[in-house]
């Protein structure tokens, strides 16, 4: 199994492109010492990769040891076959101005069943061939739905798994999948430690959806514990993932320079074990509404 030299935190560039400071943010991301960068072929309609590539060119190349990780996406007509995977990689490499990628993940395959994805001549076989050709270092599955993500893990062909919003301070839905991935020798990227924002910015949704009432009550109890312990909730949410032995890297969404500037302090924060014990003592979190 191939492994990726992950940094504890990875800078998520899914929203790169939707703000006026996008160029400056791209420059900061490709030279950041805080961690590698995560993007995808279809983030911001390809603008995320393009902005990162332009920044890499302005910097005269990626700094030594700094990595950009990306993902294969279906085309705009929903096609996600072997040819599309190869074209997706060509597009990614062209935009980024790189010859190869350390990790390329099979991203959000909502339009295909697991069997269709894994069929001979299918998209996953194409990714594995690209790994054998040396143009990809490692192959991953990056997906949300817990049941299907677990099925992809069980195939045993992926080097890494990325799940999101389902292993956080207030949600453990992905825990069994991560445990299984570990048993199989895979690496784990845990994305969206703030549940898409709410645990850091107080937004009303979790995992990009409205919260079910009982889950919302649970989040309120955790917020209240953070106040009791005088703990910053964003720091606690980040450190929940950073301290987990199941997680190789935590992918945090960085939509602006302001959020990048704030990350160092969150990483340096100390969150007492007693706080995490008190959260565990609340019992298993209710379902968050994500499948
Ligand atoms: N299927 C997949 O492969 C998949 C799916 C989801 C995510 N991901 C990856 O994981 C990354 C993270 O996911 P995510 O961005 O959706 O979720 P997240 O990391 O849980 O939340 C990020 C959001 O939290 C807010 N935030 C960040 N730092 C903050 C701070 N210091 N204080 C207050 N608010 C802060 C920002 O929103 P505001 O600035 O708007 O407040 C930011 O957009 C993505 O960028 C992507 O790289 C991959």
């Amino acid at each position: 199994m191939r492994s990726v030299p992950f940094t504890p935190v990875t800078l998520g560039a899914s929203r790169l492109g939707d703000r006026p400071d996008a160029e400056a943010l791209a420059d900061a991301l490709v030279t950041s010492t805080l961690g590698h960068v995560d993007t995808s072929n279809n983030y911001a309609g390809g603008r995320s990769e393009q902005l990162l590539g332009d920044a890499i060119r302005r910097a005269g190349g990626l700094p030594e040891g700094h990595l950009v990780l990306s993902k294969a996406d279906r085309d705009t007509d929903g096609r996600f076959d072997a040819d599309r995977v190869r074209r997706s990689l060509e597009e990614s490499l062209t935009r980024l101005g790189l010859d190869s990628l350390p990790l390329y993940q099979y991203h959000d395959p909502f339009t295909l069943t697991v069997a269709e994805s894994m069929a001979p001549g299918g998209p996953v076989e194409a990714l594995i061939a690209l790994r054998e050709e040396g143009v990809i270092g490692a192959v991953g599955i990056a997906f949300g739905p817990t049941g299907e993500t677990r099925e992809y893990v069980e195939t045993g062909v992926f080097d890494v798994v990325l799940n999101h919003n389902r292993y956080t301070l207030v949600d453990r839905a992905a825990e069994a999948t991560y445990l299984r991935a570990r048993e199989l020798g895979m690496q784990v990227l845990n994305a969206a430690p703030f549940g898409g924002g709410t645990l850091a910015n107080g937004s009303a949704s979790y995992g990009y959806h409205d919260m079910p009432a009982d889950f919302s009550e649970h989040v309120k109890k955790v917020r209240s514990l953070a106040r009791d312990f005088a703990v910053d909730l964003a720091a606690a949410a980040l450190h929940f993932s950073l301290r987990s032995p199941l997680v190789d890297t935590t992918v945090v969404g960085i939509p602006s320079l302001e959020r990048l500037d704030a990350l160092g302090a969150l990483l340096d924060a100390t969150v007492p074990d007693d706080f995490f014990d008190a959260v565990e003592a609340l019992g298993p979190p209710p379902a968050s509404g994500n499948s």
Side-chain angles (χ1 to χ4, degrees), residues 32-279:
S32 177
T33 53
L34 292 178
H36 301 324
V37 182
D38 178 65
T39 185
S40 193
N41 181 293
N42 74 354
Y43 285 166
R47 244 174 89 65
S48 175
E49 284 183 336
Q50 190 63 51
L51 282 158
L52 291 170
D54 292 345
I56 292 168
R57 284 180 279 275
R58 278 194 294 275
L62 272 174
E64 180 76 24
H66 197 40
L67 303 180
V68 173
L69 319 170
S70 193
K71 314 188 189 79
D73 282 295
R74 57 188 181 270
D75 69 16
T76 45
D77 295 326
R79 189 174 161 201
F80 211 170
D81 57 14
D83 285 347
R84 172 57 201 164
V85 164
R86 284 190 174 269
R87 260 202 316 282
S88 174
L89 181 65
E90 279 167 25
E91 288 169 5
S92 296
L93 293 175
T94 302
R95 291 177 190 144
L96 291 165
L98 299 171
D99 298 331
S100 63
L101 286 170
L103 172 65
Y104 207 55
Q105 303 204 68
Y106 186 50
H107 185 213
D108 285 352
F110 287 109
T111 50
L112 296 178
T113 64
V114 178
E116 287 167 340
S117 296
M118 302 306 300
V124 173
E125 196 176 90
L127 273 173
I128 292 163
L130 289 164
R131 184 179 63 191
E132 296 315 309
E133 291 163 26
V135 69
I136 297 172
V139 166
I141 171 68
F143 204 20
T146 314
E148 283 161 287
T149 306
R150 174 69 180 261
E151 283 183 63
Y152 281 110
V153 164
E154 293 290 353
T155 65
V157 307
F158 295 95
D159 303 301
V160 316
V161 59
L162 179 156
N163 197 260
H164 59 89
N165 292 290
R166 291 163 178 81
Y167 188 63
T168 72
L169 187 61
V170 296
D171 195 342
R172 303 299 144 77
E175 187 167 18
T177 301
Y178 288 173
L179 271 166
R180 181 66 182 137
R182 275 273 180 268
E183 281 172 13
L184 292 168
M186 296 170 67
Q187 291 178 295
V188 171
L189 295 100
N190 187 41
F194 305 140
T198 188
L199 298 176
N201 62 16
S203 64
S205 67
Y206 181 89
Y208 327 121
H209 302 290
D210 291 341
M211 297 184 220
D214 55 349
F215 182 77
S216 175
E217 275 312 303
H218 184 77
V219 173
K220 277 184 195 152
K221 284 183 198 163
V222 174
R223 272 190 206 290
S224 162
L225 280 177
R227 275 193 296 274
D228 295 348
F229 281 78
V231 158
D232 177 67
L233 190 65
L238 181 58
H239 283 268
F240 166 81
S241 182
L242 290 173
R243 75 206 291 267
S244 170
L246 296 177
V247 175
D248 289 283
T249 184
T250 301
V251 192
V252 181
I254 302 292
S256 64
L257 284 167
E258 183 195 356
R259 296 310 191 203
L260 184 61
D261 287 346
L263 183 60
L266 291 184
L267 288 167
D268 288 344
T270 303
V271 182
D273 289 346
D274 287 357
F275 169 76
F276 291 112
D277 292 345
V279 171

